[in-house]
């Protein structure tokens, strides 16, 4: 089953004020009418019935279907039925998860989400046999059947599934792993979410949640940024034992699963699910780490000079430049900026994004208890995606809107592939989002006339790219070290803090001073909890998009059509096959240099601008 209860989120760091009354809230009734929806309750019963019936029909029968006279049709019918059940389960969990994201500290929503997760997990236990049994079918006979219609339609999914074959376990063990997930890693994920949502950070006598507190790092006043840092580190520090326990338990839980399944490296399971070769990831990580001196170290040295300092405190890393114009965007302006940039690239892209505004698929205001950051959740292909933001009116918030709408466009275009092949591996999941961000940035940059305005925009974009590439590879390096050390025994909170500071110091360079308190900042990063080793996908996507954008700027014939073909493929093709029409090959170590050189070129321009 592909339903998920965790949303990979983007940690948006804007600031300013956008009145909640002026911002849109989503309508989830395209999924279900509300927590008390009779249709939701009925669909839970239908799901349990369909799963039981599916097991009664197909358990132990797939080898016989393959040996039959019309194997292609019989197996196609089984997979199509499985896919319909998957779509229903995904719809149910999407509604439960999105309702919970609206207010993670509401006990009624937390119970609703937890109950739905338990019931869907229990029902889908009856489906576990299917993928396991498919992978036990004879290779030659299955390959022959996949050559024929209608089974050939599902060939990409079946071939992907068979990559999992060496790591599958006995049916009863798989069932145990599946059923225990509710009280295992899913429960620890939920504890993290509810703990983060309940934290309060006191700044100048005012209590606030994590998102507004993080947003103060964008405040033009250094004292405000320093106070925000002190408040965040104090509150995280007071809860560090809980976060250390969650991290230790989840790392051990993953180690146990890896050992049973036969994964050697701590990140091998992520590479497999991403359909990316470990050596490709290693080449990217090596290229980025080797580029630290000419990217992050160089940029922060330049930024410190703009501030008239030798070093910047960590709370000044993303601070607005001293002479930056105090630009804010109301919702109408943000919408116009993003849609205008999308339309200039391809009217079709803007038309799809327009639907998110017109049909209330976006939830934008900051609210107490609302999930922090931002995401675009695809829900199920039979419905449509929903975008969550915490919009506060700064240019970075406009970039976040562009980013998440890029995801949304990608998810809409991929949906016709169906529940099994619409989901995009993480290697390509950030393609449309980062590309949409780049389009919007370039449109805003083209309108900037004054040098200080251009400098502010370029600096903001460089910082976003450093956060997406350098920072995420540092996150990946931190995760690797944590998981590797956890295999030797439990890590104290102090040891996790040490690892964090060591890795951050290496990536940020000597021009950023990591002041006392920064050592706790690992604790609020949700990716470490929900999706171990997810973070390198951001760097992969950014470098890939930089290369793609380079091709686009050269006015490559047919680029737009090729780009839409890439997005429309969803998870039905390997990333290497999708990049080939653009003349790009991520397996070539030089590929990563192309993407990194774009960041370097922007820093070159910043250095050349008049002071």
């Amino acid at each position: 089953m592909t339903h998920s209860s965790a949303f990979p989120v983007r940690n948006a760091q804007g600031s300013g004020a956008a009145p909640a009354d002026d911002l849109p809230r989503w309508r989830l009734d395209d999924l279900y009418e509300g927590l008390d929806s009779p249709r939701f309750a009925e669909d839970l019963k239908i799901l349990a019935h369909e799963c039981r019936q599916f097991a009664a029909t197909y358990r132990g029968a797939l080898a016989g279907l393959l040996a039959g006279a019309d194997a292609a049709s019989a197996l196609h019918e089984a997979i199509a039925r499985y896919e319909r059940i998957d779509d229903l389960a995904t719809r149910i969990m999407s509604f439960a998860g999105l309702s919970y994201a609206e207010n993670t500290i509401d006990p009624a929503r937390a119970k609703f989400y937890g109950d739905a997760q338990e019931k869907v997990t229990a029902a889908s236990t009856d489906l576990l046999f299917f993928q396991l049994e498919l992978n036990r079918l004879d290779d030659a006979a299955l390959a022959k059947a996949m050559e024929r219609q209608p089974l050939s339609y599902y060939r990409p999914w079946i071939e992907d599934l068979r990559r999992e074959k060496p790591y599958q376990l006995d049916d009863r063990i798989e069932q145990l792993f599946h059923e225990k997930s509710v009280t295992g890693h899913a429960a620890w994920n939920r504890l993290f979410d509810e703990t983060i949502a309940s934290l309060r950070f006191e700044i100048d006598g005012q209590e606030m949640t994590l998102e507004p507190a993080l947003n103060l790092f964008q405040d033009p006043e250094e004292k405000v940024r320093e106070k925000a840092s002190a408040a965040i580190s104090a509150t995280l520090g007071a809860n560090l034992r809980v976060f250390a326990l969650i991290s230790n338990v989840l790392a051990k839980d993953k180690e146990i699963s890896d050992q049973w399944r036969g994964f050697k490296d701590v990140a091998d399971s992520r590479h497999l699910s991403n359909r990316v070769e470990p050596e490709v990831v290693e080449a990217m990580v090596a290229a980025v780490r080797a580029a630290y001196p000419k990217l992050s170290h160089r940029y922060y040295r330049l930024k410190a000079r703009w501030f008239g300092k030798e070093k910047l405190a960590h709370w000044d890393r993303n601070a607005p430049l001293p002479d930056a114009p105090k630009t804010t965007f109301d919702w109408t302006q943000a919408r116009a900026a993003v849609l205008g940039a999308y339309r200039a690239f391809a009217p079709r892209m803007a038309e799809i994004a327009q639907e998110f505004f017109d049909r209330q698929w976006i939830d934008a205001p900051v609210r107490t208890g609302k999930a922090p950051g931002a995401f675009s959740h695809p829900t199920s292909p039979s419905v449509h995606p929903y975008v969550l933001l915490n919009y506060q009116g700064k240019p970075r918030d406009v970039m976040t809107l562009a980013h998440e709408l890029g995801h949304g466009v990608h998810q809409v275009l991929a949906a016709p592939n169906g529940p099994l092949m619409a989901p995009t591996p993480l290697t390509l999941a950030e393609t449309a989002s980062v590309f949409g961000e780049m389009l919007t940035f370039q449109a805003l940059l083209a309108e900037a006339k004054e040098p200080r305005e251009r400098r502010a925009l370029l600096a903001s974009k460089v910082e976003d790219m450093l956060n997406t590439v350098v920072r995420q590879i540092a996150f990946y390096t931190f995760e690797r070290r944590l998981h590797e050390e956890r295999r030797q025994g439990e890590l104290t909170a102090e040891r996790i803090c040490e690892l964090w500071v060591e890795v951050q110091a290496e990536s940020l360079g000597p021009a950023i001073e990591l002041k006392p308190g920064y050592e706790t900042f690992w604790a609020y990063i949700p990716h470490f909890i929900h999706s171990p080793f997810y973070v390198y996908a951001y760097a992969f996507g950014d470098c890939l998009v930089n290369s793609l954008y380079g091709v686009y700027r050269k006015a490559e014939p047919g680029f737009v059509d090729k780009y839409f073909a890439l997005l429309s493929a969803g998870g039905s093709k390997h990333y290497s096959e999708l990049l080939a029409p653009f003349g790009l090959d991520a397996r070539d170590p030089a590929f990563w240099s192309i993407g990194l050189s774009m960041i370097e070129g922007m820093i070159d321009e910043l250095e050349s601008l008049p002071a």
Side-chain angles (χ1 to χ4, degrees):
M1 303 291 284
T2 60
H3 56 274
S4 172
S5 58
F7 317 124
V9 298
R10 172 186 173 86
N11 287 317
Q13 292 186 14
S15 67
D21 292 346
D22 297 339
L23 297 173
R25 300 214 24 196
W26 57 30
R27 291 175 57 98
L28 297 181
D29 49 5
D30 286 348
L31 290 163
Y32 295 99
E33 299 79 12
L35 302 192
D36 56 354
S37 166
R39 192 161 58 91
F40 183 87
E42 182 62 23
D43 276 356
L44 276 172
K45 293 177 184 175
I46 291 172
L47 177 68
H49 173 77
E50 289 296 319
C51 289
R52 286 194 300 271
Q53 291 298 110
F54 186 86
T57 303
Y58 290 110
R59 192 192 304 271
L62 298 188
L65 295 181
L66 183 61
D70 194 0
S73 293
L75 285 173
H76 175 272
E77 182 181 340
I79 296 172
R81 185 170 165 186
Y82 175 83
E83 186 173 39
R84 289 192 294 273
I85 297 172
D86 182 272
D87 187 80
L88 179 60
T90 303
R91 176 191 284 254
I92 289 168
M93 281 312 303
S94 294
F95 178 73
L98 292 171
S99 299
Y100 176 62
E102 288 183 316
N103 189 350
T104 60
I105 59 175
D106 175 15
R109 290 172 188 267
K111 173 177 166 50
F112 181 81
Y113 174 61
D115 288 349
Q117 197 169 44
E118 285 186 16
K119 289 173 183 176
V120 170
T121 300
S124 58
T125 299
D126 282 323
L127 303 181
L128 281 177
F129 79 91
F130 187 63
Q131 293 190 14
L132 300 171
E133 206 168 305
L134 266 177
N135 269 348
R136 294 192 192 108
L137 296 178
D138 179 75
D139 288 341
L142 184 59
K144 186 175 179 181
M146 286 193 296
E147 290 174 359
R148 300 196 300 274
Q149 293 282 0
L151 186 61
S152 58
Y153 173 77
Y154 286 114
R155 183 172 195 147
W157 179 75
I158 296 170
E159 289 178 344
D160 253 1
L161 179 65
R162 289 178 85 76
R163 291 187 177 95
E164 309 272 354
K165 184 175 180 178
Y167 308 101
Q168 287 183 179
L169 303 171
D170 174 81
D171 288 21
R172 293 286 289 171
I173 298 174
E174 291 287 359
Q175 182 178 343
L176 178 64
F177 273 38
H178 183 70
E179 292 183 7
K180 290 281 283 181
S181 67
V182 175
T183 54
H185 62 83
W188 290 96
N189 281 188
R190 181 175 160 187
L191 174 62
F192 173 85
D193 289 344
E194 295 186 10
T195 302
I196 283 287
S198 68
L199 295 183
R200 295 296 177 268
F201 305 85
E202 187 174 337
I203 302 168
D204 283 338
Q206 180 186 356
E207 282 196 344
M208 58 183 69
T209 55
L210 176 63
E211 190 74 21
L214 287 171
N215 288 334
L216 291 177
F217 286 138
Q218 297 295 315
D219 194 276
E221 296 296 326
E222 183 176 359
K223 282 295 180 188
V224 173
R225 300 192 296 268
E226 184 177 356
K227 287 177 182 177
S229 179
I232 291 168
S233 62
T235 300
L236 292 179
N239 292 272
L240 214 54
R241 287 179 63 240
V242 174
F243 292 121
L245 177 61
I246 293 170
S247 299
N248 271 290
V249 170
L250 286 173
K252 185 63 179 178
D253 181 82
K254 185 177 183 304
E255 180 192 352
I256 292 168
S257 295
D258 285 351
Q259 287 177 343
W260 275 84
R261 295 191 181 283
F263 291 113
K264 302 301 182 188
D265 185 78
V266 292
D268 276 351
S269 59
R270 174 61 66 195
H271 302 330
L272 178 66
S273 67
N274 284 351
R275 303 300 184 243
V276 63
E277 301 79 7
E279 57 271 20
V280 170
V281 178
E282 288 167 15
M284 175 187 67
V285 172
V288 174
R289 291 183 69 179
Y292 285 172
K294 61 183 179 181
L295 297 180
S296 49
H297 297 188
R298 177 186 171 204
Y299 173 76
Y300 293 127
R301 191 164 58 245
L302 178 62
K303 185 169 184 177
R305 195 163 75 235
W306 290 332
F307 276 75
K309 297 181 178 182
E310 187 177 330
K311 292 184 177 185
L312 293 174
H314 67 262
W315 53 74
D316 292 332
R317 186 172 60 83
N318 286 323
L321 302 188
D323 65 343
K326 292 178 173 59
T327 307
T328 57
F329 291 79
D330 63 28
W331 184 249
T332 302
Q333 292 170 321
R335 168 179 169 157
V338 175
L339 291 179
Y342 278 22
R343 190 173 295 109
F345 172 70
R348 185 183 176 198
M349 193 168 175
E351 287 165 10
I352 296 170
Q354 181 83 45
E355 286 196 274
F356 284 77
F357 296 98
D358 294 348
R359 300 176 69 176
Q360 293 181 261
W361 298 350
I362 303 174
D363 192 284
V366 176
R367 295 190 302 275
T368 300
K370 182 178 175 180
F375 61 72
S376 179
H377 191 293
T379 73
S380 68
S382 60
V383 191
H384 56 76
Y386 282 95
V387 165
L388 179 141
L389 305 169
N390 281 276
Y391 188 83
Q392 297 186 71
K394 282 295 185 181
R396 269 198 173 93
D397 294 326
V398 180
M399 292 298 112
T400 298
L401 174 62
H403 182 101
E404 299 307 337
L405 283 175
H407 277 307
V409 168
H410 196 170
Q411 290 157 356
V412 168
L413 288 170
N417 292 292
L420 300 183
M421 292 184 290
T424 306
L426 293 186
T427 43
L428 290 169
E430 296 298 328
T431 305
S433 55
V434 178
F435 196 86
E437 221 179 319
M438 180 64 81
L439 292 172
T440 305
F441 162 73
Q442 294 290 353
L444 293 177
L445 188 66
E447 295 176 7
K449 307 304 179 190
E450 296 181 16
R452 71 188 189 110
E453 188 182 358
R454 188 173 183 86
R455 179 188 291 108
L457 277 169
L458 274 169
S460 178
K461 183 59 179 173
V462 167
E463 288 174 15
D464 284 346
M465 294 170 92
L466 293 178
N467 286 337
T468 304
V469 178
V470 169
R471 186 166 167 80
Q472 301 304 324
I473 292 304
F475 281 2
Y476 175 69
T477 304
F478 166 74
E479 279 191 282
R480 288 195 62 88
R481 292 187 63 183
L482 188 153
H483 281 259
E484 285 166 356
E485 284 201 19
R486 181 63 182 89
R487 290 186 170 187
Q488 311 308 315
E490 192 162 309
L491 282 75
T492 64
E494 290 74 19
R495 179 55 185 154
I496 300 175
C497 290
E498 287 173 4
L499 292 176
W500 173 256
V501 171
E502 288 169 12
V503 169
Q504 291 301 306
E506 178 200 18
S507 68
L508 298 173
I512 297 291
E513 185 177 358
L514 304 179
K515 299 277 193 178
Y518 183 73
E519 68 277 1
T520 66
F521 278 40
W522 57 270
Y524 75 81
I525 310 294
H527 305 74
F528 301 156
I529 305 303
H530 290 301
S531 309
F533 305 110
Y534 176 96
V535 289
Y536 76 71
Y538 286 115
F540 195 107
D542 201 271
C543 289
L544 187 154
V545 166
N546 289 345
S547 299
L548 264 182
Y549 194 80
V551 175
Y552 168 59
R553 283 202 303 192
K554 293 174 184 174
E556 185 79 15
F559 180 90
V560 171
D561 290 339
K562 293 176 191 174
Y563 180 73
F564 276 103
L566 184 156
L567 301 187
S568 299
S572 67
K573 294 181 180 179
H574 191 262
Y575 72 89
S576 59
E577 187 180 350
L578 292 170
L579 291 179
F582 302 95
L584 300 172
D585 183 2
R587 291 167 296 190
D588 180 355
F591 171 83
W592 304 109
S593 300
I594 303 170
L596 297 174
S597 66
M598 179 173 283
I599 307 175
E600 195 175 1
M602 288 185 179
I603 300 174
D604 289 342
E605 183 175 352
L606 280 168
E607 285 187 327
S608 69
L609 287 174

